[in-house]
Amino acid sequence: MNTSHALAQYKQVNVQTSVMDASPHKLITLLIDGFIERVTQAKAALNAQKIEAKGERISKAIQILSGLRGALDFEKGGELASNLDGLYDYMARRLFTANANNDLDMLDEVIGLMRTVKEGWDGIKEQSAGQGA
C-alpha cells in the first residue's frame, strides 16, 4: 500500500469517527468548516487554472449548503431559520455564478458570509457553555 493511499484512508476514518461522535452542534460546525475549505480549494484551483477541480469543489460546497438548509428547523428557528435559508440560497446562486464566470471576488464574498455565520454559530456554543457553568 502506498503512503498517499494509506493517508487518504486514515483521513476518511478520522472524518467518519468525528461525524459519529459529534453532537448536532458539532455536525453543523463540520459542515460550515467543510464549506469554507471547499470554496478555498476552489479559489486555489482557479488561480492554478485547474478549471475542472474548481468546478468540483464549488459543486461540493453547494452540496454542503443543501445539507445546511436541510438541517434548518423552521418551527424552532422561526425568523432566524428563514433568514439563514435565504442566505444559503443566495450563497448557492453566487457560487453558480462564480463558477460560470471564474470570479474570485464572488468566492471571497461567500467565504466571508460563511465566516460570519460560523462566528455566530460558535457564539451559540460558547454562550450555552457559559450558562451551564
Side-chain angles (χ1 to χ4, degrees):
M1 180 182 328
N2 68 32
T3 305
S4 63
H5 181 69
L7 181 59
Q9 284 186 324
Y10 171 77
K11 285 182 181 178
Q12 182 64 29
V13 168
N14 191 29
V15 168
Q16 289 173 351
T17 302
S18 294
V19 169
M20 289 178 10
D21 293 342
S23 68
H25 188 276
K26 179 65 175 174
L27 289 174
I28 298 300
T29 299
L30 290 170
L31 287 172
I32 291 170
D33 290 343
F35 175 87
I36 293 169
E37 182 179 341
R38 295 310 174 283
V39 179
T40 300
Q41 291 169 345
K43 284 180 55 181
L46 180 56
N47 282 326
Q49 297 297 310
K50 295 181 179 180
I51 302 306
E52 185 177 340
K54 174 220 40 160
E56 290 171 0
R57 295 311 183 274
I58 288 175
S59 178
K60 288 181 187 278
I62 291 169
Q63 290 172 2
I64 291 170
L65 285 173
S66 293
L68 288 167
R69 290 180 82 184
L72 293 171
D73 184 336
F74 292 96
E75 282 187 33
K76 292 180 184 174
E79 185 179 351
L80 177 59
S82 181
N83 289 343
L84 282 170
D85 185 56
L87 178 62
Y88 295 154
D89 177 63
Y90 172 79
M91 292 168 71
R93 288 183 284 115
R94 294 300 277 177
L95 286 172
F96 279 120
T97 303
N99 191 31
N101 298 327
N102 293 322
D103 191 319
L104 285 169
D105 290 335
M106 285 185 193
L107 296 177
D108 284 333
E109 176 189 3
V110 296
I111 289 171
L113 290 169
M114 190 58 83
R115 283 187 176 142
T116 300
V117 171
K118 180 175 173 45
E119 289 173 13
W121 189 249
D122 290 347
I124 290 170
K125 180 69 172 179
E126 292 169 10
Q127 182 181 16
S128 64
Q131 290 176 352

